[in-house]
Amino acid sequence: MPRIRFEFATLTLDAELFDTPTAMAILPALPVVSSALTWGEEVYFEVPVQVVRENAARAIVTPGEIAYWPDGPAIAIGFGRTPISQGDETRLASPCNVFARALSDVKTLAAVKAGTKVKVSVVE
């Protein structure tokens, strides 16, 4: 599967796509430029892709998993606790389609501030 790159100002995060309907819908829409929002230890941003919630969608993710939020529509990258987390879990706002995995430490996203421009593109 192809890799994608998230560029947030001075921070770059590469990810490996999974073979899922969501990944296949996002891939042809790239490159995408959006504006980052934050919610606890989560960065998310709107994308011009409409995908239904997959059967395997879940709200609790492992840091490093990259998800598509059908209710956004947005890409959500949780790297720690959100306002609705219980204990140390990473809980997104509602069930999301996990479509990729980060290839480096997503905790670096703590430096991303709301309003930061993000570009998502295919790694050539």
Side-chain angles (χ1 to χ4, degrees), residues 58-79:
R58 53 196 160 87
I60 299 173
V61 297
T62 300
E65 291 181 322
I66 298 173
Y68 169 83
W69 184 39
D71 299 342
I75 290 176
I77 308 171
F79 55 91

Side-chain angles (χ1 to χ4, degrees), residues 20-23 51-58 68 70 95-99:
T20 67
T22 298
V51 182
V52 298
R53 184 170 284 120
E54 296 175 5
N55 290 338
R58 53 196 160 87
Y68 169 83
C96 294
N97 302 338
V98 175
F99 72 94

Side-chain angles (χ1 to χ4, degrees), residues 5 7 26-34 48 118-122 124:
R5 176 166 293 151
E7 296 173 79
I26 289 172
L27 197 57
L30 301 179
V32 167
V33 176
S34 193
V118 56
K119 179 181 179 185
V120 186
S121 56
V122 177
E124 299 294 334

